[in-house]
Amino acid sequence: MDAWPAAPVPTLPRSDDPRLEGRVRVFDTVTRAQRIVGPDHGTAGLYVCGITPYDATHLGHAFTYLTFDLLHRVWLDLGLAVDYVQNITDVDDPLLERAAETGQDWEELAAEQIELFRTDMAALRILPPRHYMAATETLHLVVDTITDLRGKDLAYQVADDQYPDWYFRSAAVEHFGIISQLTREQMIAIFAERGGDPDRPGKDDALDSLLWRLARADEPAWDSPHGRGRPGWHVECTSIAQRYLGETFSVQGGGRDLVFPHHEMCAAVGRGVANGARFAHSYVHVGMVGLDGEKMSKSRGNLELVSRLRSQGVEAPVIRLALLAHHYRNDWEWFATDVDSAQRRADAWRSAFASSHGTPAAPIIANLRRALRHDLDAPRALAEVDEWTSAVLAGDGSDPDAPRQVADAVDALLGVRFG
Ligand code: 5CA
Ligand code: ZN
């Protein structure tokens, strides 16, 4: 699948501040601590779980992709290449259910929503993945993964005369559970809420997860050596990640709602394929964005969309600033007034960047870098730019290059550029 066009990223001068560490740390879900992510040179591998294409792009989606865009930009600024992969879950129960509810063809719904998502991502200056892969384009990868798992006795058919679907022996894999750190009872409860089927008769273990669902009437299906059917959700992300990033890569990311079962299951499948080698080095999870007191989600229907805000005349950099005002690890609630404060900030920054002189750029660039390398602290980064902006607007500083240099740093590191 084609991704969206990449906005240019300015290259910044080095910072010679000795307090500035040349690595980035983020909070890793497994170790429950901040941890250096990415290699010290070469290529960082990033897999971010993509949308199931309906109700795109709500602000929760946007916040998650913006968070990993910050990581992408920090890695680029550190001189690393970034191999970024994202999927599209364009065949799965929630999508098919939504299409059935509205009477729309599921493929048409997916195509329309993917297009909307791409447009929103480009407007928000989120750097595109190098590989943007839909489930329907990567069936062969899933089929091969299942063949491999069958060879290791990690896949089996559920005892069901009519539909002996293929399942993965999740709990048989070493280290199953280290991401979510839940009790078995908690896992079973959450599995039932988030697309799993712990109570299905005929499974060897309640926590075993679906690999390949055999064809049902009126459901899309593809021929395969495992029978005609369609892929399960977790094995899709594992197969795409390992195909494009290798068996082990730097970071798997997504919203916090994906910790269990999705990322736990992805990691277990990945370890099964890789004979015990770890899947991602680190797992990074973004807090949930809510509206009206609840997690913003398609199923609850309490959504604010990037495209709706834009159609109301809110500029994309203002939306980006409204999101950046929140730290990625916090859950937070969207209020319509968030636009007003972001607009005020945008107006001030824009005036400062257009100024003919200002206080020197080097210290503020170092401070921006420090804030972002320390667990992607966007709110602190915004406060640094605010401080510089206030000084410039008060007439401080005589450096004629500073406004352009700060504008470039804000573009390169925060992805904010005013048209
Ligand atoms: N297709 C799967 C991942 S493989 C999926 O979860 N799709 S999604 O469309 O439901 O969500 C897309 C991404 O946005 C996921 O990373 C998800 O964790 C994140 N996300 C969804 N809702 C929110 C929210 N309210 N706040 C923050 N992030 C969210
Ligand atoms: Zn995923």
Side-chain angles (χ1 to χ4, degrees):
M1 189 76 65
D2 289 333
W4 52 92
V9 181
T11 305
L12 304 180
R14 285 168 171 280
S15 293
D16 49 17
D17 185 333
R19 290 172 305 161
L20 186 61
E21 203 187 2
R23 304 294 293 272
V24 52
R25 291 171 193 274
V26 293
F27 190 86
D28 167 46
T29 302
V30 175
T31 53
R32 302 284 199 263
Q34 285 181 31
R35 191 162 187 234
I36 290 173
V37 289
D40 60 6
H41 64 276
T43 304
L46 174 64
Y47 185 91
V48 180
C49 283
I51 56 164
T52 303
Y54 64 96
D55 287 342
T57 309
H58 67 62
L59 295 179
H61 296 145
F63 189 58
T64 284
Y65 299 111
L66 173 61
T67 296
F68 294 101
D69 189 55
L70 293 179
L71 179 60
H72 192 164
R73 288 170 181 276
V74 171
W75 272 337
L76 292 177
D77 183 53
L78 287 168
L80 297 176
V82 182
D83 209 345
Y84 177 18
V85 180
Q86 191 181 124
N87 69 304
I88 308 167
T89 311
D90 67 343
V91 57
D92 199 18
D93 295 348
L95 175 72
L96 300 175
E97 284 161 16
R98 170 58 71 90
E101 269 165 43
T102 58
Q104 195 177 6
D105 174 66
W106 67 275
E107 288 173 290
E108 195 184 281
L109 172 62
E112 170 197 297
Q113 291 289 306
I114 293 166
E115 189 47 37
L116 183 58
F117 179 72
R118 281 194 288 230
T119 309
D120 291 335
M121 290 294 106
L124 290 173
R125 291 177 87 80
I126 290 178
L127 297 171
R130 192 173 283 181
H131 300 283
Y132 190 43
M133 304 307 302
T136 54
E137 294 178 304
T138 49
L139 295 157
H140 57 291
L141 301 179
V142 170
V143 165
D144 289 351
T145 300
I146 298 171
T147 304
D148 180 84
L149 295 173
R150 281 175 65 176
K152 295 169 176 163
D153 193 31
L154 285 171
Y156 68 94
Q157 287 185 279
V158 70
D160 180 322
D161 291 341
Q162 199 181 5
Y163 298 117
D165 301 321
W166 287 93
Y167 277 80
F168 173 65
R169 296 188 200 283
S170 316
V173 173
E174 223 190 332
H175 305 300
F176 179 73
I178 57 166
I179 302 174
S180 55
Q181 298 167 29
L182 300 168
T183 64
R184 186 176 160 83
E185 289 63 37
Q186 289 170 322
M187 284 187 187
I188 289 174
I190 300 175
F191 195 41
E193 284 166 22
R194 299 192 184 154
D197 52 2
D199 300 325
R200 179 166 181 188
K203 288 169 68 172
D204 285 359
D205 186 285
L207 290 172
D208 290 346
S209 63
L210 179 72
L211 291 169
W212 191 258
R213 177 176 161 94
L214 298 176
R216 313 296 203 262
D218 301 327
E219 283 189 14
W222 291 266
D223 287 326
S224 93
H226 318 300
R228 190 171 167 74
R230 62 178 166 95
W233 174 28
H234 317 301
V235 66
E236 168 202 333
C237 283
T238 304
S239 303
I240 296 172
Q242 290 187 320
R243 161 66 181 79
Y244 292 100
L245 296 173
E247 284 182 346
T248 302
F249 54 93
S250 306
V251 169
Q252 182 175 21
R256 198 170 286 147
D257 57 335
L258 298 186
V259 172
F260 193 86
H262 187 49
H263 288 175
E264 197 75 73
M265 298 291 179
C266 286
V269 172
R271 267 193 207 266
V273 170
N275 302 312
R278 67 204 294 175
F279 183 57
H281 278 290
S282 299
Y283 295 86
V284 177
H285 292 108
V286 179
M288 288 290 109
V289 182
L291 179 71
D292 301 331
E294 287 208 81
K295 170 189 146 182
M296 202 176 276
S297 82
K298 320 169 210 239
S299 45
R300 292 193 179 86
N302 60 336
L303 304 173
E304 183 56 274
L305 302 179
V306 171
S307 53
R308 190 184 303 143
L309 290 173
R310 292 183 65 224
S311 70
Q312 290 166 356
V314 184
E315 293 170 296
V318 173
I319 301 173
R320 191 158 170 130
L321 281 174
L323 298 172
L324 286 169
H326 300 273
H327 193 278
Y328 82 90
R329 275 170 61 196
N330 296 335
D331 294 339
W332 56 279
E333 197 170 337
W334 172 260
F335 293 103
T337 49
D338 287 17
V339 167
D340 305 329
S341 42
Q343 183 68 58
R344 279 195 295 278
R345 177 173 265 142
D347 293 342
W349 288 18
R350 204 188 315 243
S351 309
F353 296 162
S355 170
S356 57
H357 51 85
T359 55
I364 182 210
I365 296 177
N367 287 346
L368 277 180
R369 283 177 162 142
R370 186 174 310 115
L372 292 171
R373 289 178 196 180
H374 182 87
D375 205 21
L376 308 175
D377 193 345
R380 205 175 112 205
L382 298 193
E384 298 287 350
V385 182
D386 287 343
E387 203 177 311
W388 178 86
T389 296
S390 303
V392 172
L393 296 180
D396 290 356
S398 56
D399 183 344
D401 297 323
R404 182 190 49 78
Q405 289 168 341
V406 174
D408 278 354
V410 162
D411 182 357
L413 297 170
L414 294 174
V416 173
R417 167 75 73 183
F418 302 108

